[in-house]
PDB file of all heavy atoms in Angstrom:
ATOM      1  N   VAL A 232     -25.045  45.882   2.069  1.00 87.00           N
ATOM      2  CA  VAL A 232     -23.778  46.278   1.448  1.00 87.00           C
ATOM      3  C   VAL A 232     -24.023  47.344   0.376  1.00 87.00           C
ATOM      4  O   VAL A 232     -23.315  48.357   0.321  1.00 87.00           O
ATOM      5  CB  VAL A 232     -23.053  45.052   0.851  1.00 87.00           C
ATOM      6  CG1 VAL A 232     -21.885  45.475  -0.016  1.00 87.00           C
ATOM      7  CG2 VAL A 232     -22.577  44.144   1.963  1.00 87.00           C
ATOM      8  N   PHE A 233     -25.016  47.140  -0.466  1.00 92.00           N
ATOM      9  CA  PHE A 233     -25.322  48.128  -1.501  1.00 92.00           C
ATOM     10  C   PHE A 233     -25.798  49.443  -0.892  1.00 92.00           C
ATOM     11  O   PHE A 233     -25.516  50.517  -1.423  1.00 92.00           O
ATOM     12  CB  PHE A 233     -26.358  47.593  -2.485  1.00 92.00           C
ATOM     13  CG  PHE A 233     -25.839  46.495  -3.379  1.00 92.00           C
ATOM     14  CD1 PHE A 233     -26.650  45.443  -3.723  1.00 92.00           C
ATOM     15  CD2 PHE A 233     -24.549  46.513  -3.860  1.00 92.00           C
ATOM     16  CE1 PHE A 233     -26.188  44.431  -4.545  1.00 92.00           C
ATOM     17  CE2 PHE A 233     -24.066  45.513  -4.679  1.00 92.00           C
ATOM     18  CZ  PHE A 233     -24.889  44.461  -5.022  1.00 92.00           C
ATOM     19  N   LEU A 234     -26.516  49.366   0.221  1.00 94.00           N
ATOM     20  CA  LEU A 234     -26.953  50.569   0.922  1.00 94.00           C
ATOM     21  C   LEU A 234     -25.736  51.375   1.384  1.00 94.00           C
ATOM     22  O   LEU A 234     -25.695  52.598   1.229  1.00 94.00           O
ATOM     23  CB  LEU A 234     -27.842  50.201   2.114  1.00 94.00           C
ATOM     24  CG  LEU A 234     -28.350  51.346   2.979  1.00 94.00           C
ATOM     25  CD1 LEU A 234     -29.224  52.298   2.177  1.00 94.00           C
ATOM     26  CD2 LEU A 234     -29.136  50.799   4.160  1.00 94.00           C
ATOM     27  N   LEU A 235     -24.731  50.702   1.920  1.00 91.00           N
ATOM     28  CA  LEU A 235     -23.494  51.390   2.318  1.00 91.00           C
ATOM     29  C   LEU A 235     -22.798  52.012   1.108  1.00 91.00           C
ATOM     30  O   LEU A 235     -22.241  53.102   1.195  1.00 91.00           O
ATOM     31  CB  LEU A 235     -22.558  50.429   3.036  1.00 91.00           C
ATOM     32  CG  LEU A 235     -23.008  49.970   4.415  1.00 91.00           C
ATOM     33  CD1 LEU A 235     -22.063  48.913   4.965  1.00 91.00           C
ATOM     34  CD2 LEU A 235     -23.118  51.143   5.365  1.00 91.00           C
ATOM     35  N   GLY A 236     -22.844  51.316  -0.032  1.00 92.00           N
ATOM     36  CA  GLY A 236     -22.277  51.870  -1.263  1.00 92.00           C
ATOM     37  C   GLY A 236     -23.002  53.137  -1.704  1.00 92.00           C
ATOM     38  O   GLY A 236     -22.379  54.098  -2.162  1.00 92.00           O
ATOM     39  N   CYS A 237     -24.318  53.146  -1.545  1.00 95.00           N
ATOM     40  CA  CYS A 237     -25.097  54.338  -1.890  1.00 95.00           C
ATOM     41  C   CYS A 237     -24.753  55.503  -0.968  1.00 95.00           C
ATOM     42  O   CYS A 237     -24.635  56.644  -1.422  1.00 95.00           O
ATOM     43  CB  CYS A 237     -26.594  54.033  -1.830  1.00 95.00           C
ATOM     44  SG  CYS A 237     -27.162  52.991  -3.179  1.00 95.00           S
ATOM     45  N   VAL A 238     -24.585  55.219   0.303  1.00 95.00           N
ATOM     46  CA  VAL A 238     -24.192  56.265   1.250  1.00 95.00           C
ATOM     47  C   VAL A 238     -22.808  56.806   0.873  1.00 95.00           C
ATOM     48  O   VAL A 238     -22.572  58.023   0.912  1.00 95.00           O
ATOM     49  CB  VAL A 238     -24.214  55.740   2.703  1.00 95.00           C
ATOM     50  CG1 VAL A 238     -23.601  56.734   3.667  1.00 95.00           C
ATOM     51  CG2 VAL A 238     -25.645  55.404   3.107  1.00 95.00           C
ATOM     52  N   ALA A 239     -21.913  55.924   0.465  1.00 92.00           N
ATOM     53  CA  ALA A 239     -20.582  56.360   0.014  1.00 92.00           C
ATOM     54  C   ALA A 239     -20.694  57.260  -1.212  1.00 92.00           C
ATOM     55  O   ALA A 239     -19.976  58.260  -1.330  1.00 92.00           O
ATOM     56  CB  ALA A 239     -19.711  55.146  -0.286  1.00 92.00           C
ATOM     57  N   ALA A 240     -21.603  56.942  -2.131  1.00 91.00           N
ATOM     58  CA  ALA A 240     -21.803  57.777  -3.321  1.00 91.00           C
ATOM     59  C   ALA A 240     -22.328  59.154  -2.940  1.00 91.00           C
ATOM     60  O   ALA A 240     -21.963  60.157  -3.562  1.00 91.00           O
ATOM     61  CB  ALA A 240     -22.768  57.090  -4.291  1.00 91.00           C
ATOM     62  N   ILE A 241     -23.167  59.210  -1.919  1.00 95.00           N
ATOM     63  CA  ILE A 241     -23.713  60.497  -1.480  1.00 95.00           C
ATOM     64  C   ILE A 241     -22.597  61.395  -0.939  1.00 95.00           C
ATOM     65  O   ILE A 241     -22.516  62.576  -1.271  1.00 95.00           O
ATOM     66  CB  ILE A 241     -24.798  60.293  -0.395  1.00 95.00           C
ATOM     67  CG1 ILE A 241     -26.016  59.588  -0.994  1.00 95.00           C
ATOM     68  CG2 ILE A 241     -25.200  61.625   0.225  1.00 95.00           C
ATOM     69  CD1 ILE A 241     -27.025  59.095   0.038  1.00 95.00           C
ATOM     70  N   VAL A 242     -21.733  60.849  -0.102  1.00 93.00           N
ATOM     71  CA  VAL A 242     -20.730  61.672   0.576  1.00 93.00           C
ATOM     72  C   VAL A 242     -19.416  61.828  -0.199  1.00 93.00           C
ATOM     73  O   VAL A 242     -18.623  62.703   0.143  1.00 93.00           O
ATOM     74  CB  VAL A 242     -20.439  61.147   2.003  1.00 93.00           C
ATOM     75  CG1 VAL A 242     -21.691  61.146   2.838  1.00 93.00           C
ATOM     76  CG2 VAL A 242     -19.795  59.778   1.967  1.00 93.00           C
ATOM     77  N   LEU A 243     -19.190  61.022  -1.225  1.00 88.00           N
ATOM     78  CA  LEU A 243     -17.924  61.081  -1.964  1.00 88.00           C
ATOM     79  C   LEU A 243     -17.546  62.480  -2.423  1.00 88.00           C
ATOM     80  O   LEU A 243     -16.424  62.933  -2.166  1.00 88.00           O
ATOM     81  CB  LEU A 243     -17.940  60.125  -3.162  1.00 88.00           C
ATOM     82  CG  LEU A 243     -16.735  60.259  -4.086  1.00 88.00           C
ATOM     83  CD1 LEU A 243     -15.569  59.462  -3.524  1.00 88.00           C
ATOM     84  CD2 LEU A 243     -17.058  59.820  -5.477  1.00 88.00           C
ATOM     85  N   PRO A 244     -18.431  63.213  -3.106  1.00 90.00           N
ATOM     86  CA  PRO A 244     -18.016  64.540  -3.580  1.00 90.00           C
ATOM     87  C   PRO A 244     -17.668  65.523  -2.459  1.00 90.00           C
ATOM     88  O   PRO A 244     -16.930  66.477  -2.683  1.00 90.00           O
ATOM     89  CB  PRO A 244     -19.242  65.043  -4.349  1.00 90.00           C
ATOM     90  CG  PRO A 244     -20.035  63.836  -4.671  1.00 90.00           C
ATOM     91  CD  PRO A 244     -19.775  62.865  -3.556  1.00 90.00           C
ATOM     92  N   TYR A 245     -18.180  65.299  -1.279  1.00 90.00           N
ATOM     93  CA  TYR A 245     -17.943  66.205  -0.171  1.00 90.00           C
ATOM     94  C   TYR A 245     -16.782  65.740   0.704  1.00 90.00           C
ATOM     95  O   TYR A 245     -16.029  66.554   1.222  1.00 90.00           O
ATOM     96  CB  TYR A 245     -19.218  66.339   0.674  1.00 90.00           C
ATOM     97  CG  TYR A 245     -20.410  66.697  -0.186  1.00 90.00           C
ATOM     98  CD1 TYR A 245     -21.362  65.740  -0.525  1.00 90.00           C
ATOM     99  CD2 TYR A 245     -20.553  67.980  -0.701  1.00 90.00           C
ATOM    100  CE1 TYR A 245     -22.434  66.061  -1.339  1.00 90.00           C
ATOM    101  CE2 TYR A 245     -21.638  68.308  -1.513  1.00 90.00           C
ATOM    102  CZ  TYR A 245     -22.570  67.345  -1.824  1.00 90.00           C
ATOM    103  OH  TYR A 245     -23.625  67.662  -2.638  1.00 90.00           O
ATOM    104  N   ARG A 246     -16.643  64.452   0.859  1.00 86.00           N
ATOM    105  CA  ARG A 246     -15.603  63.881   1.712  1.00 86.00           C
ATOM    106  C   ARG A 246     -14.258  63.808   0.990  1.00 86.00           C
ATOM    107  O   ARG A 246     -13.220  64.047   1.584  1.00 86.00           O
ATOM    108  CB  ARG A 246     -16.044  62.484   2.165  1.00 86.00           C
ATOM    109  CG  ARG A 246     -15.065  61.738   3.002  1.00 86.00           C
ATOM    110  CD  ARG A 246     -15.230  62.074   4.474  1.00 86.00           C
ATOM    111  NE  ARG A 246     -14.499  61.150   5.308  1.00 86.00           N
ATOM    112  CZ  ARG A 246     -13.235  61.330   5.660  1.00 86.00           C
ATOM    113  NH1 ARG A 246     -12.578  62.366   5.250  1.00 86.00           N
ATOM    114  NH2 ARG A 246     -12.630  60.457   6.441  1.00 86.00           N
ATOM    115  N   LEU A 247     -14.274  63.442  -0.282  1.00 80.00           N
ATOM    116  CA  LEU A 247     -13.044  63.314  -1.081  1.00 80.00           C
ATOM    117  C   LEU A 247     -13.121  64.269  -2.272  1.00 80.00           C
ATOM    118  O   LEU A 247     -13.189  63.860  -3.435  1.00 80.00           O
ATOM    119  CB  LEU A 247     -12.869  61.864  -1.540  1.00 80.00           C
ATOM    120  CG  LEU A 247     -12.746  60.816  -0.432  1.00 80.00           C
ATOM    121  CD1 LEU A 247     -12.774  59.415  -0.995  1.00 80.00           C
ATOM    122  CD2 LEU A 247     -11.490  61.038   0.385  1.00 80.00           C
ATOM    123  N   ARG A 248     -13.106  65.558  -1.978  1.00 82.00           N
ATOM    124  CA  ARG A 248     -13.280  66.589  -3.007  1.00 82.00           C
ATOM    125  C   ARG A 248     -12.253  66.497  -4.127  1.00 82.00           C
ATOM    126  O   ARG A 248     -12.580  66.674  -5.283  1.00 82.00           O
ATOM    127  CB  ARG A 248     -13.191  67.974  -2.380  1.00 82.00           C
ATOM    128  CG  ARG A 248     -14.408  68.376  -1.609  1.00 82.00           C
ATOM    129  CD  ARG A 248     -14.312  69.866  -1.245  1.00 82.00           C
ATOM    130  NE  ARG A 248     -15.387  70.255  -0.373  1.00 82.00           N
ATOM    131  CZ  ARG A 248     -16.621  70.526  -0.777  1.00 82.00           C
ATOM    132  NH1 ARG A 248     -16.922  70.417  -2.044  1.00 82.00           N
ATOM    133  NH2 ARG A 248     -17.537  70.880   0.090  1.00 82.00           N
ATOM    134  N   LYS A 249     -11.025  66.213  -3.769  1.00 81.00           N
ATOM    135  CA  LYS A 249      -9.952  66.166  -4.767  1.00 81.00           C
ATOM    136  C   LYS A 249     -10.210  65.060  -5.792  1.00 81.00           C
ATOM    137  O   LYS A 249     -10.038  65.256  -6.991  1.00 81.00           O
ATOM    138  CB  LYS A 249      -8.608  65.956  -4.063  1.00 81.00           C
ATOM    139  CG  LYS A 249      -7.420  66.162  -4.930  1.00 81.00           C
ATOM    140  CD  LYS A 249      -6.148  66.091  -4.089  1.00 81.00           C
ATOM    141  CE  LYS A 249      -4.928  66.311  -4.938  1.00 81.00           C
ATOM    142  NZ  LYS A 249      -3.698  66.215  -4.153  1.00 81.00           N
ATOM    143  N   ILE A 250     -10.630  63.908  -5.314  1.00 78.00           N
ATOM    144  CA  ILE A 250     -10.922  62.796  -6.215  1.00 78.00           C
ATOM    145  C   ILE A 250     -12.130  63.124  -7.079  1.00 78.00           C
ATOM    146  O   ILE A 250     -12.131  62.918  -8.283  1.00 78.00           O
ATOM    147  CB  ILE A 250     -11.138  61.500  -5.425  1.00 78.00           C
ATOM    148  CG1 ILE A 250      -9.831  61.059  -4.789  1.00 78.00           C
ATOM    149  CG2 ILE A 250     -11.707  60.396  -6.309  1.00 78.00           C
ATOM    150  CD1 ILE A 250      -9.959  59.923  -3.821  1.00 78.00           C
ATOM    151  N   TYR A 251     -13.169  63.691  -6.476  1.00 81.00           N
ATOM    152  CA  TYR A 251     -14.365  64.053  -7.228  1.00 81.00           C
ATOM    153  C   TYR A 251     -14.041  65.126  -8.267  1.00 81.00           C
ATOM    154  O   TYR A 251     -14.487  65.047  -9.416  1.00 81.00           O
ATOM    155  CB  TYR A 251     -15.469  64.538  -6.290  1.00 81.00           C
ATOM    156  CG  TYR A 251     -16.673  65.055  -7.031  1.00 81.00           C
ATOM    157  CD1 TYR A 251     -17.504  64.182  -7.715  1.00 81.00           C
ATOM    158  CD2 TYR A 251     -16.977  66.407  -7.061  1.00 81.00           C
ATOM    159  CE1 TYR A 251     -18.607  64.641  -8.411  1.00 81.00           C
ATOM    160  CE2 TYR A 251     -18.075  66.879  -7.748  1.00 81.00           C
ATOM    161  CZ  TYR A 251     -18.883  65.996  -8.423  1.00 81.00           C
ATOM    162  OH  TYR A 251     -19.963  66.453  -9.120  1.00 81.00           O
ATOM    163  N   SER A 252     -13.238  66.099  -7.889  1.00 80.00           N
ATOM    164  CA  SER A 252     -12.894  67.183  -8.809  1.00 80.00           C
ATOM    165  C   SER A 252     -12.081  66.701  -9.995  1.00 80.00           C
ATOM    166  O   SER A 252     -12.146  67.278 -11.076  1.00 80.00           O
ATOM    167  CB  SER A 252     -12.128  68.275  -8.072  1.00 80.00           C
ATOM    168  OG  SER A 252     -12.939  68.847  -7.079  1.00 80.00           O
ATOM    169  N   SER A 253     -11.300  65.647  -9.807  1.00 79.00           N
ATOM    170  CA  SER A 253     -10.470  65.145 -10.900  1.00 79.00           C
ATOM    171  C   SER A 253     -11.222  64.159 -11.784  1.00 79.00           C
ATOM    172  O   SER A 253     -10.696  63.680 -12.775  1.00 79.00           O
ATOM    173  CB  SER A 253      -9.200  64.495 -10.355  1.00 79.00           C
ATOM    174  OG  SER A 253      -9.536  63.341  -9.615  1.00 79.00           O
ATOM    175  N   SER A 254     -12.480  63.840 -11.425  1.00 77.00           N
ATOM    176  CA  SER A 254     -13.282  62.928 -12.240  1.00 77.00           C
ATOM    177  C   SER A 254     -14.173  63.746 -13.170  1.00 77.00           C
ATOM    178  O   SER A 254     -14.085  64.975 -13.236  1.00 77.00           O
ATOM    179  CB  SER A 254     -14.137  62.033 -11.348  1.00 77.00           C
ATOM    180  OG  SER A 254     -15.124  62.817 -10.707  1.00 77.00           O
ATOM    181  N   ILE A 255     -15.037  63.072 -13.864  1.00 75.00           N
ATOM    182  CA  ILE A 255     -16.000  63.749 -14.727  1.00 75.00           C
ATOM    183  C   ILE A 255     -17.105  64.288 -13.828  1.00 75.00           C
ATOM    184  O   ILE A 255     -17.991  63.555 -13.408  1.00 75.00           O
ATOM    185  CB  ILE A 255     -16.578  62.788 -15.787  1.00 75.00           C
ATOM    186  CG1 ILE A 255     -15.451  62.223 -16.629  1.00 75.00           C
ATOM    187  CG2 ILE A 255     -17.613  63.493 -16.636  1.00 75.00           C
ATOM    188  CD1 ILE A 255     -15.891  61.122 -17.560  1.00 75.00           C
ATOM    189  N   LYS A 256     -17.019  65.569 -13.511  1.00 78.00           N
ATOM    190  CA  LYS A 256     -18.007  66.166 -12.611  1.00 78.00           C
ATOM    191  C   LYS A 256     -19.291  66.432 -13.391  1.00 78.00           C
ATOM    192  O   LYS A 256     -19.270  67.024 -14.457  1.00 78.00           O
ATOM    193  CB  LYS A 256     -17.488  67.467 -12.027  1.00 78.00           C
ATOM    194  CG  LYS A 256     -16.366  67.290 -11.063  1.00 78.00           C
ATOM    195  CD  LYS A 256     -15.999  68.536 -10.294  1.00 78.00           C
ATOM    196  CE  LYS A 256     -16.262  69.820 -10.984  1.00 78.00           C
ATOM    197  NZ  LYS A 256     -15.814  70.990 -10.265  1.00 78.00           N
ATOM    198  N   SER A 257     -20.376  65.972 -12.844  1.00 86.00           N
ATOM    199  CA  SER A 257     -21.679  66.236 -13.431  1.00 86.00           C
ATOM    200  C   SER A 257     -22.610  66.632 -12.300  1.00 86.00           C
ATOM    201  O   SER A 257     -22.730  65.913 -11.312  1.00 86.00           O
ATOM    202  CB  SER A 257     -22.192  64.984 -14.149  1.00 86.00           C
ATOM    203  OG  SER A 257     -23.414  65.264 -14.777  1.00 86.00           O
ATOM    204  N   GLU A 258     -23.235  67.783 -12.460  1.00 86.00           N
ATOM    205  CA  GLU A 258     -24.082  68.299 -11.391  1.00 86.00           C
ATOM    206  C   GLU A 258     -25.416  68.773 -11.941  1.00 86.00           C
ATOM    207  O   GLU A 258     -25.508  69.194 -13.091  1.00 86.00           O
ATOM    208  CB  GLU A 258     -23.374  69.440 -10.661  1.00 86.00           C
ATOM    209  CG  GLU A 258     -22.085  69.001  -9.994  1.00 86.00           C
ATOM    210  CD  GLU A 258     -21.358  70.141  -9.296  1.00 86.00           C
ATOM    211  OE1 GLU A 258     -21.748  71.309  -9.494  1.00 86.00           O
ATOM    212  OE2 GLU A 258     -20.402  69.853  -8.562  1.00 86.00           O
ATOM    213  N   ILE A 259     -26.426  68.697 -11.110  1.00 90.00           N
ATOM    214  CA  ILE A 259     -27.745  69.233 -11.420  1.00 90.00           C
ATOM    215  C   ILE A 259     -28.076  70.237 -10.331  1.00 90.00           C
ATOM    216  O   ILE A 259     -28.163  69.863  -9.147  1.00 90.00           O
ATOM    217  CB  ILE A 259     -28.811  68.121 -11.483  1.00 90.00           C
ATOM    218  CG1 ILE A 259     -28.482  67.145 -12.609  1.00 90.00           C
ATOM    219  CG2 ILE A 259     -30.200  68.726 -11.654  1.00 90.00           C
ATOM    220  CD1 ILE A 259     -29.407  65.948 -12.680  1.00 90.00           C
ATOM    221  N   LEU A 260     -28.214  71.499 -10.722  1.00 91.00           N
ATOM    222  CA  LEU A 260     -28.483  72.583  -9.779  1.00 91.00           C
ATOM    223  C   LEU A 260     -27.451  72.623  -8.652  1.00 91.00           C
ATOM    224  O   LEU A 260     -27.775  72.851  -7.484  1.00 91.00           O
ATOM    225  CB  LEU A 260     -29.898  72.482  -9.210  1.00 91.00           C
ATOM    226  CG  LEU A 260     -31.052  72.539 -10.230  1.00 91.00           C
ATOM    227  CD1 LEU A 260     -32.382  72.261  -9.538  1.00 91.00           C
ATOM    228  CD2 LEU A 260     -31.072  73.890 -10.929  1.00 91.00           C
ATOM    229  N   GLY A 261     -26.204  72.337  -8.988  1.00 88.00           N
ATOM    230  CA  GLY A 261     -25.120  72.385  -8.022  1.00 88.00           C
ATOM    231  C   GLY A 261     -24.964  71.152  -7.158  1.00 88.00           C
ATOM    232  O   GLY A 261     -24.071  71.089  -6.331  1.00 88.00           O
ATOM    233  N   VAL A 262     -25.832  70.148  -7.346  1.00 91.00           N
ATOM    234  CA  VAL A 262     -25.746  68.911  -6.563  1.00 91.00           C
ATOM    235  C   VAL A 262     -25.114  67.833  -7.448  1.00 91.00           C
ATOM    236  O   VAL A 262     -25.584  67.593  -8.562  1.00 91.00           O
ATOM    237  CB  VAL A 262     -27.143  68.455  -6.080  1.00 91.00           C
ATOM    238  CG1 VAL A 262     -27.040  67.163  -5.296  1.00 91.00           C
ATOM    239  CG2 VAL A 262     -27.808  69.546  -5.262  1.00 91.00           C
ATOM    240  N   PRO A 263     -24.065  67.194  -6.982  1.00 91.00           N
ATOM    241  CA  PRO A 263     -23.415  66.149  -7.785  1.00 91.00           C
ATOM    242  C   PRO A 263     -24.397  65.027  -8.148  1.00 91.00           C
ATOM    243  O   PRO A 263     -25.164  64.559  -7.298  1.00 91.00           O
ATOM    244  CB  PRO A 263     -22.309  65.624  -6.878  1.00 91.00           C
ATOM    245  CG  PRO A 263     -22.060  66.725  -5.899  1.00 91.00           C
ATOM    246  CD  PRO A 263     -23.374  67.400  -5.712  1.00 91.00           C
ATOM    247  N   VAL A 264     -24.366  64.620  -9.419  1.00 91.00           N
ATOM    248  CA  VAL A 264     -25.253  63.557  -9.888  1.00 91.00           C
ATOM    249  C   VAL A 264     -24.999  62.260  -9.135  1.00 91.00           C
ATOM    250  O   VAL A 264     -25.934  61.523  -8.812  1.00 91.00           O
ATOM    251  CB  VAL A 264     -25.105  63.352 -11.420  1.00 91.00           C
ATOM    252  CG1 VAL A 264     -25.866  62.132 -11.889  1.00 91.00           C
ATOM    253  CG2 VAL A 264     -25.578  64.586 -12.164  1.00 91.00           C
TER     254      VAL A 264
END
């Protein structure tokens, strides 16, 4: 279950851009933290 949560964290900024953009965006070298 936690592994699936980690996969969701990886794809969230790319799959749900609007939600990610409206949150506190933090990136390292252009990759979302």
Side-chain angles (χ1 to χ4, degrees):
V232 169
F233 290 143
L234 178 62
L235 291 174
C237 288
V238 171
I241 293 169
V242 301
L243 172 83
Y245 308 104
R246 178 87 167 89
L247 300 172
R248 285 190 187 280
K249 192 173 181 181
I250 292 171
Y251 174 71
S252 297
S253 66
S254 68
I255 301 172
K256 291 190 331 184
S257 183
E258 298 179 350
I259 297 175
L260 300 173
V262 179
V264 172

